[in-house]
């Protein structure tokens, strides 16, 4: 009888050891799997959060990074923003739409946009090239979520912000590509 109890006890202990081993092995697998997912997500997020370019307007002291449209940093409440309908400057029919807040807060990157004039220059650094644009038109239109810009034969860069003088209007600055270097 004692032999049978000892045998059953050994089998149960052995069974518990195997269960514990399997359980911890599965936990380690999940931790490794979760860590790998976190690592992959961090790499993806870091890639998204890496600047893809820079907007430079010397006349009004702008020298700010630009981020991919799917980046959380490509947001007017954080930075100068590339709008979704933009076609990148290395594309044959490029038209970049860039927006930012005006006003007097820390995120009012375009607070002095109204100080720009026809023939002023704007530089867009993108994929290790400098795209040199010249302003050719400045106007205001009603703020309704759209920007009405005629597509030109040249590559364009369009900047927009709220009008500093008219509450329900937006300021729009259109520029065309002069050269790339």
């Amino acid at each position: 009888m004692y032999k049978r109890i000892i045998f059953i006890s050994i089998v149960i202990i052995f069974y518990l050891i195997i269960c514990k081993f399997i359980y911890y092995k599965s936990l380690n697998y999940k931790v490794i799997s979760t860590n790998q997912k976190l690592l992959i997500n961090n790499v993806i997020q870091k890639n998204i959060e890496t600047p893809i370019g820079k907007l430079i307007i010397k006349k009004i002291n702008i020298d700010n990074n630009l981020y991919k449209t799917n980046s959380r940093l490509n947001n007017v409440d954080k930075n100068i923003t590339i709008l979704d309908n933009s076609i990148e400057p290395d594309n044959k029919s490029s038209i970049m739409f860039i927006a930012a807040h005006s006003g007097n807060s820390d995120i009012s990157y375009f607070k002095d946009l109204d100080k720009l004039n026809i023939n002023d220059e704007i530089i867009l650094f993108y994929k290790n090239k400098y795209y040199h644009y010249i302003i050719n038109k400045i106007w205001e239109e009603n703020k309704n979520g759209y920007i009405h810009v005629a597509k030109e034969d040249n590559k364009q860069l369009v900047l927009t912000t709220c009008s500093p003088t008219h509450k329900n209007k937006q300021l729009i600055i259109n520029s065309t590509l002069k050269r790339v270097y």
Side-chain angles (χ1 to χ4, degrees):
M1 180 75 168
Y2 287 117
K3 287 183 178 182
R4 186 176 175 137
I5 292 174
I6 291 174
F7 178 74
I8 292 175
S9 297
I10 291 174
V11 168
I12 291 173
I13 290 171
F14 185 69
Y15 175 76
L16 290 173
I17 289 172
I18 289 174
C19 287
K20 183 178 178 183
F21 176 76
I22 291 171
Y23 175 75
Y24 282 117
K25 195 73 166 161
S26 72
L27 275 183
N28 285 341
Y29 176 74
K30 286 180 184 172
V31 168
I32 290 170
S33 179
T34 302
N35 285 341
Q36 287 173 339
K37 285 180 187 175
L38 287 173
L39 180 63
I40 289 168
N41 286 340
N42 284 340
V43 168
I44 290 169
Q45 195 63 32
K46 188 173 183 179
N47 187 34
I48 290 172
E49 305 307 338
T50 301
I52 60 166
K54 193 174 269 238
L55 180 68
I56 303 164
I57 309 174
K58 292 178 184 175
K59 182 176 181 177
I60 56 174
N61 298 317
I62 290 178
D63 188 343
N64 291 75
N65 289 331
L66 298 170
Y67 297 89
K68 291 182 181 181
T69 55
N70 61 344
S71 168
R72 65 182 172 82
L73 296 176
N74 187 56
N75 180 319
V76 292
D77 291 332
K78 295 182 181 185
N79 287 306
I80 293 175
T81 303
I82 300 172
L83 301 179
D84 286 333
N85 293 336
S86 294
I87 301 170
E88 296 175 339
D90 56 349
N91 188 299
K92 192 183 262 187
S93 60
S94 169
I95 183 165
M96 291 286 288
F97 296 98
I98 298 179
H101 283 298
S102 56
N104 54 13
S105 72
D106 290 343
I107 57 169
S108 298
Y109 297 105
F110 280 180
K111 65 184 171 205
D112 292 327
L113 203 64
D114 62 323
K115 292 181 173 69
L116 294 177
N117 299 306
I118 304 285
N119 293 323
D120 283 343
E121 64 182 25
I122 301 170
I123 298 170
L124 180 66
F125 178 71
Y126 178 80
K127 289 188 178 176
N128 294 320
K129 291 184 180 177
Y130 288 91
Y131 293 83
H132 182 96
Y133 295 87
I134 300 296
I135 296 173
N136 63 355
K137 189 173 181 186
I138 300 171
W139 73 98
E140 289 187 358
E141 64 181 43
N142 289 333
K143 209 181 339 177
N144 60 7
Y146 297 98
I147 300 171
H148 302 94
V149 178
K151 180 66 180 118
E152 299 176 10
D153 291 336
N154 295 327
K155 295 179 178 190
Q156 291 169 261
L157 173 64
V158 179
L159 307 179
T160 187
T161 193
C162 295
S163 168
T165 54
H166 301 99
K167 185 175 181 169
N168 293 320
K169 299 237 181 215
Q170 59 190 354
L171 174 64
I172 301 169
I173 296 180
N174 186 55
S175 58
T176 54
L177 185 66
K178 182 175 180 182
R179 70 177 183 264
V180 180
Y181 52 96

